[in-house]
Each structure stands twice: as structure tokens, then as C-alpha cells.
Amino acid sequence: MKSWKWIAAGAGGSILLPVIWLLWMPGLLAALGTVIWSVAATLFAVRMVLREQERSMAEQQRMSEEQLKERAVQALNHHRHDWMNELQIMYGYIQLGKHDKSVQCVERIKERMLQESKVSKLGIPSLVFYFQAYRTFNVPLQLEIEVVDQLHLNEKLSPLRQEALTEVIIAAVDIYEKAGEGGSPEEERQLIITFWDQEDHCIAELEGEGAFGDRRALEQQLKRVTEHTELRVEQVDTDHMTYRLYIPYVT
């Protein structure tokens, strides 16, 4: 039993003392004492329960912050490892005198840096961090993020819509992950999320490549996670499991 329940039970049990007194010596003084004791015990119990809940919330927040820091460190280590691999590949080409391959490697690094810069400028910290940390989750789904031109969603979406977009994107990625769990583990599956600006909306296109099970079931799940939000989802008529999320800007 949680400590706050013990506090409430103890405060409630203490009321028995004035009740016994009232039964033993009935009278106005005993009745008044019972009322005062009951009120005091209730106030004490409420105060202690609130204090215990505040302590519990503070502990949960501390644990969440520790988990967030740990995830951030993992993401940084993963990115450092990726960049070291790219540099080692380029260094190998240079040593072998394969200048054309070296140029291709540099161009690939430049393109990746450009895309990561665009992702970081989306302006929604929780969403950006999720994208940056995703590769450390060790899941059988490759996630690629592309941003067309420059897109600063923090300047065009209200805080509530930013939060809704983040929650829907995370839920959608989870849906794509689970949609192909029954397939062959050797088969590569990829989800490409592309963001671009379209007049008074932002569009996030989710394009799945590989086996993702039943298209209709996946679509129903995507529509379910957008319920009670200002986002809407539409299917794109392609050979892939592709859907578009429409997020209205603040007008």
C-alpha cells in the first residue's frame, strides 16, 4: 500500500478516539471536541497526502530527466560513431587514390549534414530530439527524415498543434514498426517522412517501403491517432504504404 494511503488511514482511524469519548461521555463538549478533531484530522491528512504526492511527482520528474539525459548521450554517441565511419571511409578512398569515390563521399556527407540541419530547424524540440534519437532505439525499421526547403514549424504552429503533431508522428512511426512485425526479419523496411510547406498547411508525408501488412488496417490506425486533433490523414495512391498528414497553420 502506498504511503499516502497509510496517512489517510491513520488520520481516519484517529477519529475513533473522540467518537469513543462521545459515546462514553455524551454531551455538548464531547460533540464539539469530536467535530474539531475530525476537521483537524481531515486537514492534516489532506496536507500530508498533497505533500506525499508532490514528493512522488518530483521523483518521477527526476527519473524522467535522467532517462532523457541518458537517451541524449546515446544519441550523441550514435551520431559520433556514424560520422567516424563516414570519415574513415573517405580517408580510405583518399589513401587508395580513388578521388572520384572521395568526392562522392564528401557529397553524401554534405547532403546528410544539410538534411540534419533542416530537421533541427523544424523548431519543435521534442520532435527533433525524437528523430535524432530514433536510430538508438534498435528497431527493425529504418527511419529517414527529409525537409523540403526551410521549414520553421515553431513559427507557424500553436504550442498545442506542435504537441499534437509530435504525438501523432511518434504514434505513426510506432504503427509502421508494428505493421511489419510478422514479415521476414531479413527484409528491409524503411519509412521516409518528408515535410514541406503548402500555403496554409504543413504536409508530412509518410512513405513506407517494404512489407507492412494490410493497408486498410494501417490506414484505420493512422486515422485513429489523428482523432480529436486538428490533423487529418489522407492516403496517397502509390505502390507504397504512403499517407499524408495535413497540419493547419495558425491563422
Side-chain angles (χ1 to χ4, degrees):
M1 182 180 290
K2 295 181 179 179
S3 56
W4 66 268
K5 292 184 178 180
W6 283 109
I7 294 171
S14 69
I15 299 176
L16 292 175
L17 296 176
V19 171
I20 294 173
W21 179 32
L22 179 62
L23 293 175
W24 182 44
M25 298 179 60
L28 180 60
L29 181 61
L32 184 60
T34 300
V35 172
I36 294 174
W37 186 286
S38 300
V39 172
T42 301
L43 292 175
F44 174 78
V46 169
R47 181 180 179 183
M48 295 303 295
V49 168
L50 290 176
R51 182 179 297 178
E52 184 66 23
Q53 288 180 342
E54 289 176 358
R55 186 185 307 166
S56 176
M57 290 175 62
E59 179 64 20
Q60 291 177 1
Q61 183 177 0
R62 187 190 66 80
M63 293 178 63
S64 297
E65 290 176 353
E66 290 297 324
Q67 291 174 353
L68 183 62
K69 291 176 183 177
E70 182 179 353
R71 179 61 67 184
V73 170
Q74 291 176 353
L76 288 172
N77 286 336
H78 195 281
H79 281 281
R80 178 184 58 80
H81 184 266
D82 284 352
W83 287 118
M84 286 298 297
N85 284 343
E86 292 285 4
L87 291 174
Q88 287 175 356
I89 292 172
M90 184 174 65
Y91 183 65
Y93 286 145
I94 293 174
Q95 284 186 316
L96 295 173
K98 296 183 177 181
H99 301 297
D100 55 336
K101 294 288 186 180
S102 300
V103 172
Q104 292 176 10
C105 187
V106 170
E107 291 299 324
R108 185 173 66 249
I109 292 174
K110 285 174 58 179
E111 179 61 27
R112 180 177 170 185
M113 291 179 66
L114 177 62
Q115 282 299 326
E116 290 197 358
S117 175
K118 288 181 178 181
V119 170
S120 66
K121 291 178 181 178
L122 285 174
I124 305 178
S126 55
L127 183 61
V128 172
F129 180 75
Y130 174 76
F131 288 151
Q132 297 290 355
Y134 184 82
R135 281 179 289 181
T136 68
F137 293 165
N138 192 28
V139 293
L141 177 67
Q142 183 180 354
L143 180 64
E144 296 292 335
I145 309 300
E146 297 180 1
V147 181
V148 179
D149 298 326
Q150 296 290 338
L151 192 57
H152 304 279
L153 295 178
N154 59 316
E155 299 175 358
K156 298 184 176 183
L157 296 177
S158 66
L160 287 177
R161 289 180 187 175
Q162 292 179 36
E163 183 179 355
L165 173 61
T166 301
E167 292 177 353
V168 168
I169 289 291
I170 293 175
V173 173
D174 186 62
I175 289 170
Y176 273 88
E177 280 181 20
K178 295 178 179 178
E181 287 182 343
S184 172
E186 298 179 355
E187 184 176 3
E188 291 188 0
R189 296 185 302 124
Q190 184 181 43
L191 176 62
I192 304 171
I193 303 179
T194 305
F195 293 87
W196 73 85
D197 184 56
Q198 188 179 73
E199 297 180 354
D200 58 346
H201 282 73
C202 168
I203 295 178
E205 183 175 275
L206 297 87
E207 180 181 1
E209 297 183 356
F212 291 97
D214 182 62
R215 178 190 294 270
R216 184 172 299 178
L218 187 142
E219 181 178 352
Q220 289 176 347
Q221 292 181 69
L222 289 175
K223 288 184 176 180
R224 193 175 300 122
V225 299
T226 57
E227 289 180 352
H228 311 299
T229 72
E230 296 178 277
L231 285 70
R232 61 184 175 90
V233 60
E234 290 184 1
Q235 179 182 352
V236 179
D237 189 18
T238 66
D239 294 332
H240 303 296
M241 291 281 202
T242 305
Y243 296 87
R244 286 179 182 172
L245 292 171
Y246 293 83
I247 308 99
Y249 290 142
V250 175
T251 56

